[in-house]
Amino acid sequence: MKEVLSGNEAFARGAYEYGVKVVSSYPGTPSTEITEHVAQYDEIYSEWATNEKVALETVIGASLAGRRAMTCMKHVGLNVAADPLMTVSYTGVNGGLIIVVADDPNMFSSQNEQDSRHYARLAKVPMLEPADSQEAKDFIGIALEVSEKYCTPVLVRSCTRISHSKSVVALKARNTPPIFEPENDIKKWVMVPANARVRHKIVENRLDKLSDCADTGRLTINPVEFRSEEIGIICAGVTYHYVKEAMPEASILKLEMVYPICFEKIKRFAEKVKKLYVVEELDRFIENELKAAGIEVEPLNRSVCGELSVDEVRKLFGKSVREPAFDPRQLPARPPNMCPGCSHRGMFYAIAKLKLFAAGDIGCYTLGLLPPLSAINSTVCMGASIPMAHGMDKATDGALARKSVAVIGDSTFFHTGINGLLNSVYNAGTSTVIILDNSITGMTGHQPNPGTGCTIKGAPTQKINFPKLLEAMGVKNIRTVNPFDPDECIKVLKEETAKEELSVIVTDKPCIFADRSVIKPPFYVDVNNCSGCTICTRLGCPAILWNKEEKRAFIDETLCTGCELCVKVCRFNAIHQRG
Amino acid sequence: MKDINILMIGVGGQGTVLSSDIVCDVALAGDADVKKSEIHGMAQRGGSVVSHVRIGAKVLSPVIPVGEADIVISFENMEFLRYPEYAGKNTSLVVNKYRIYPPSVAGGQETYPAEQTEETKKAFKEVFEIDAMKTATAIGNSKVAGMVMLGKLAALLPFDADLWRTVISKKVPPKTVDMNLAAFNAGYQF
């Protein structure tokens, strides 16, 4: 049977068909839907982990126990999981272990554009890269086979154009997976220096064998399509399709194992063509490997920023591309925005009102940076807000701590924020931390987390009690506020930032999508009372619109969720509820 | 079969993604190869959403090359202006008359580019303007406006209308099948 599947659905289907038993992941665009789809298969144990390091360590345990295991993350998530990755390369695996990592060329929803292929070389583990959904599914099977045959974790690289593209996939039944006895092997699994030195040699030897495998193609990898003798192109992943469409005359060597590289095979390919090119997205990874191996590569004037396309490849080879039918002009943007009824908005309104410097983090609340709120002043990575505020506190002997806050969401707090807060408590920090608890992982599409009260499958589970947790961590000043009451937020912010002690403020209203029961009848603007003061439009709520002619605000009642925030800021009693 | 490239554009919440999934399933059921690539911004609602759908005997890149869209379908009145590079001289435009104001327009800082929208329509080979919101409201639910648009798109593609109806019945929530089919039929006959 055939179905049109996204790359992410296909990765999940691969895990099902090839007998994976355990999947543990932290959500991250564009990788999130893999684990969401895995959760639909009862044969696989799946979970949302608190972060990528925990997820990888969980699946290392599952592998040690003898079962096939997978973890999925975005490129920046692999940074968080890099510590166990470097060493699981040394221990090797028992049951097959694969790490799917989804890069985001062009940064459609990411804070950097890093190229995860470098991790394969750094960790000395093989990396496979599928070119469409069918291969996304098939390569899970190949990766598990390679993992078990060569005793190595295997990286499978995706990108936004694989994960969020759809193509036709032939479905099969679930295989009976191999099951191995749990390993109790101290020399293999305890990486003290004496054991690790032995394992490092095994790792190097393994890489040689994998290179040989890549060259001989025993796993039907790295196929050659021989056409013209003039031009030979080496490419991988979705770029293969761009190249094939843009350069139908060229001979192509499609790298399906992007690390280690099949040097012997490439040398044989290079001998058959007059000019050898490498077309790859992001860094000159393959090109530099080839050059280091003494293989001559023709130069291409290619940017290492952003993504490729059929047109970009055509341009690289001097071919013309079609003219667009009309010229792009300046348009009113449709920027991402916090939703109507978002529980973050009131707190950001209060922060902006007090002109506090806000060390931000990664999540929906990063959007607090947008006008009219413009309430976020820094964003680096998951968990960075709290330690950055701590650093600003220490650098200024507390002066900046009186004028700043750290903001972080519940899921990000569990991810890596908790460590930063412990550090601030331990080192007698005096900053003010705001946990914007909306009881869900919002930005990636509403995945439950330890603060939600249910698992990935919707089963009820322990729900973290923030005040109790903070108290146990040694936080003395703990405040809970209603984010839809800006006056209360302003009052609490003033009090807590003034203290020369660490404070944590927790907001307590759920994401409008996590808990639909909070939706109330919409509000409307009473034109007789509206003075046109614009205070409500300064909330940046998508449901509040401005009538330019009448100089009055009005509310799109189809969007309004009845959060009451605008009522609280209106000084003219002009906003009322329907019904 | 002849290759067909369709660029589907909308605003988050309008059902653009579901509609493009339906096109994919219809193409597969109609024995064609199909690929789709979509970009939906970080926000859940209100952002610009674009799906590339490519149908043919054998589709390579999941992204439509510059100037090679056969059909641009815009679920909102101005959104097609955002993707000038994909339309060429032989591109047809299917456009919803319904406007959704971007935040800067809603906030009064910018104006809705109504003139520019009208002027740019002349660049297309042919233009089908649909008042999908009005049609959907007449059927009984404004939320099926996207299905009216999909109906018009279906009328331009070489797949049997019943194939569409079968796929739609499977893809939409069971309780909404009749309403969606009514919207599809209205768009198909537009």
Side-chain angles (χ1 to χ4, degrees):
Chain A
M1 193 177 75
K2 285 183 176 177
E3 273 187 33
V4 185
L5 298 184
S6 71
N8 282 350
E9 288 172 288
F11 284 124
R13 180 73 195 184
Y16 168 77
E17 289 186 9
Y18 294 101
V20 167
K21 175 70 194 298
V22 174
V23 175
S24 179
S25 309
Y26 184 82
T29 309
S31 72
T32 311
E33 299 85 356
I34 307 172
T35 307
E36 285 184 329
H37 286 285
V38 162
Q40 293 167 1
Y41 298 109
D42 290 337
E43 293 84 348
I44 305 174
Y45 169 79
S46 57
E47 66 178 24
W48 288 125
T50 48
N51 69 34
E52 295 82 359
K53 173 175 146 68
V54 170
L56 176 53
E57 289 156 352
T58 300
V59 297
I60 293 171
S63 166
L64 183 151
R67 304 303 174 97
R68 290 186 159 184
M70 175 169 95
T71 178
C72 314
M73 56 195 70
K74 69 182 296 181
H75 58 311
V76 287
L78 190 54
N79 299 335
V80 180
D83 195 6
L85 173 64
M86 296 304 138
T87 304
V88 74
S89 168
Y90 277 37
T91 64
V93 304
N94 184 24
L97 195 173
I98 51 181
I99 301 151
V100 180
V101 55
D103 283 5
D104 189 15
N106 206 39
M107 295 172 280
F108 292 106
S109 50
S110 302
Q111 67 267 40
N112 72 39
E113 202 172 28
Q114 72 189 45
D115 187 330
S116 295
R117 294 178 296 177
H118 297 291
Y119 271 111
R121 187 171 55 196
L122 183 59
K124 299 172 189 281
V125 300
M127 176 181 258
L128 306 184
E129 189 172 357
D132 57 25
S133 297
Q134 178 69 53
E135 290 187 0
K137 193 196 78 167
D138 295 344
F139 283 22
I140 294 294
I142 297 172
L144 287 163
E145 200 180 315
V146 169
S147 177
E148 283 159 5
K149 185 172 177 188
Y150 293 89
C151 190
T152 179
V154 176
L155 285 159
V156 178
R157 184 188 188 225
S158 184
C159 65
T160 303
R161 294 292 181 187
I162 295 293
S163 284
H164 288 177
S165 285
K166 287 197 165 191
S167 57
V168 181
V169 179
L171 305 185
K172 288 184 195 162
R174 183 168 164 95
N175 288 353
T176 306
I179 293 173
F180 306 90
E181 281 301 307
E183 282 186 343
N184 186 354
D185 180 347
I186 291 168
K187 286 195 164 73
K188 182 178 173 188
W189 285 101
V190 183
M191 283 303 95
V192 291
N195 290 345
R197 283 181 204 116
V198 176
R199 295 300 302 185
H200 187 182
K201 288 174 187 153
I202 292 170
V203 168
E204 298 300 336
N205 184 258
R206 182 180 73 201
L207 263 188
D208 289 343
K209 285 183 185 160
L210 282 161
S211 303
D212 186 45
C213 158
D215 284 326
T216 54
R218 280 195 298 268
L219 290 154
T220 66
I221 44 180
N222 309 325
V224 171
E225 294 171 15
F226 202 77
R227 285 180 280 265
S228 156
E229 289 179 6
E230 296 297 317
I231 295 177
I233 300 175
I234 295 168
C235 52
V238 71
T239 303
Y240 162 76
H241 289 296
Y242 301 152
V243 167
K244 200 167 173 184
E245 184 162 340
M247 301 290 290
E249 70 279 21
S251 296
I252 296 176
L253 196 167
K254 171 170 171 259
L255 283 187
E256 295 179 342
M257 189 188 282
V258 289
Y259 191 83
I261 302 236
C262 55
F263 289 120
E264 294 307 317
K265 190 168 199 174
I266 288 172
K267 281 177 190 165
R268 291 195 298 275
F269 180 68
E271 281 166 13
K272 288 183 189 161
V273 293
K274 286 189 183 147
K275 287 182 172 176
L276 182 72
Y277 296 89
V278 175
V279 178
E280 58 190 323
E281 235 164 31
L282 299 183
D283 294 342
R284 298 178 191 280
F285 180 83
I286 299 167
E287 185 175 336
N288 287 347
E289 288 281 309
L290 297 196
K291 283 178 176 168
I295 298 168
E296 198 178 329
V297 178
E298 298 291 330
L300 279 178
N301 186 21
R302 180 183 70 80
S303 170
V304 295
C305 306
E307 46 170 17
L308 284 175
S309 62
V310 173
D311 299 296
E312 285 305 313
V313 176
R314 282 176 182 155
K315 283 185 223 161
L316 284 177
F317 289 92
K319 289 189 174 184
S320 62
V321 298
R322 286 206 213 175
E323 289 294 317
F326 58 96
D327 295 331
R329 270 168 282 184
Q330 206 63 38
L331 288 180
R334 292 197 195 269
N337 195 353
M338 291 184 295
C339 308
C342 176
S343 62
H344 303 326
R345 183 169 282 109
M347 182 54 86
F348 281 125
Y349 176 81
I351 290 169
K353 196 92 180 163
L354 295 173
K355 296 191 169 63
L356 295 169
F357 185 102
D361 220 295
I362 309 282
C364 286
Y365 47 92
T366 314
L367 300 172
L369 94 153
L370 294 167
L373 294 165
S374 309
I376 291 281
N377 303 86
S378 71
T379 300
V380 175
C381 66
M382 295 283 284
S385 60
I386 302 174
M388 282 179 68
H390 177 65
M392 296 191 297
D393 171 22
K394 294 298 178 184
T396 60
D397 299 317
L400 197 46
R402 306 285 78 76
K403 297 176 200 157
S404 65
V405 289
V407 293
I408 190 164
D410 46 330
S411 189
T412 311
F413 180 77
F414 300 128
H415 181 278
T416 32
I418 193 165
N419 315 62
L421 186 63
L422 269 177
N423 181 62
S424 295
V425 172
Y426 171 53
N427 291 302
T430 74
S431 51
T432 299
V433 174
I434 303 167
I435 299 176
L436 297 161
D437 177 19
N438 64 0
S439 301
I440 203 83
T441 313
M443 182 68 106
T444 45
H446 317 113
Q447 291 74 32
N449 66 48
T452 307
C454 69
T455 68
I456 192 170
K457 300 249 189 193
T461 187
Q462 191 67 41
K463 181 176 159 75
I464 295 295
N465 179 318
F466 271 112
K468 276 190 186 169
L469 171 70
L470 297 168
E471 197 183 328
M473 287 171 74
V475 179
K476 290 198 187 77
N477 305 300
I478 304 162
R479 305 287 293 268
T480 301
V481 298
N482 172 9
F484 295 124
D485 187 340
D487 288 341
E488 186 194 348
C489 292
I490 288 170
K491 179 172 164 283
V492 171
L493 279 171
K494 275 185 185 166
E495 288 168 9
E496 297 307 320
T497 51
K499 287 179 185 166
E500 292 185 5
E501 276 186 329
L502 185 72
S503 302
V504 180
I505 301 167
V506 185
T507 65
D508 65 351
K509 290 290 176 281
C511 168
I512 208 86
F513 287 102
D515 182 354
R516 306 293 283 178
S517 72
V518 299
I519 298 176
K520 287 176 273 183
F523 285 79
Y524 66 95
V525 177
D526 175 356
V527 289
N528 299 319
N529 283 3
C530 179
S531 72
C533 76
T534 74
I535 193 160
C536 59
T537 63
R538 278 179 260 162
L539 292 167
C541 175
I544 303 176
L545 312 175
W546 183 249
N547 185 324
K548 220 175 177 178
E549 285 74 42
E550 295 178 18
K551 293 200 168 55
R552 295 271 190 279
F554 66 103
I555 291 173
D556 181 339
E557 294 182 39
T558 64
L559 293 174
C560 177
T561 65
C563 78
E564 297 186 31
L565 186 62
C566 54
V567 183
K568 301 274 175 54
V569 299
C570 178
R571 305 295 181 209
F572 298 93
N573 191 29
I575 303 178
H576 303 285
Q577 196 163 21
R578 292 272 180 217
Chain B
M1 69 178 291
K2 181 185 167 289
D3 293 350
I4 305 166
N5 294 323
I6 309 159
L7 192 75
M8 305 179 72
I9 302 158
V11 175
Q14 282 196 293
T16 321
V17 172
L18 176 67
S19 297
S20 61
D21 282 346
I22 290 169
V23 179
C24 288
D25 284 2
V26 168
L28 178 63
D31 288 328
D33 189 23
V34 62
K35 280 187 182 171
K36 178 185 109 157
S37 182
E38 76 195 18
I39 295 295
H40 38 87
M42 293 189 289
Q44 298 300 324
R45 292 289 182 274
S48 173
V49 177
V50 61
S51 281
H52 297 239
V53 181
R54 307 190 75 192
I55 300 168
K58 176 72 189 158
V59 181
L60 295 168
S61 163
V63 183
I64 300 169
V66 167
E68 293 187 22
D70 297 289
I71 300 170
V72 168
I73 174 164
S74 187
F75 285 61
E76 195 275 348
N77 196 247
M78 66 166 268
E79 280 306 292
F80 70 93
L81 296 176
R82 227 176 273 288
Y83 303 92
E85 63 270 39
Y86 300 106
K89 288 193 180 71
N90 294 312
T91 306
S92 302
L93 174 69
V94 182
V95 60
N96 191 354
K97 285 186 175 175
Y98 187 66
R99 296 177 182 182
I100 299 174
Y101 292 123
S104 60
V105 175
Q109 298 89 15
E110 292 184 84
T111 46
Y112 192 92
E115 274 178 36
Q116 192 181 335
T117 306
E118 286 310 308
E119 189 192 324
T120 309
K121 283 177 189 165
K122 293 174 196 158
F124 289 84
K125 188 182 79 177
E126 54 188 346
V127 179
F128 304 95
E129 290 184 83
I130 316 285
D131 200 337
M133 187 56 95
K134 198 174 159 189
T135 309
T137 312
I139 288 166
N141 192 337
S142 62
K143 287 183 179 166
V144 295
M147 201 54 76
V148 177
M149 297 297 293
L150 195 64
K152 182 63 210 178
L153 176 67
L156 301 174
L157 295 177
F159 301 107
D160 190 74
D162 283 334
L163 201 54
W164 287 88
R165 293 186 187 110
T166 309
V167 171
I168 289 166
S169 302
K170 281 185 202 157
K171 278 275 181 186
V172 302
K175 283 180 188 170
T176 67
V177 169
D178 291 346
M179 186 83 81
N180 275 293
L181 288 181
F184 174 82
N185 291 337
Y188 197 83
Q189 286 149 18
F190 212 92

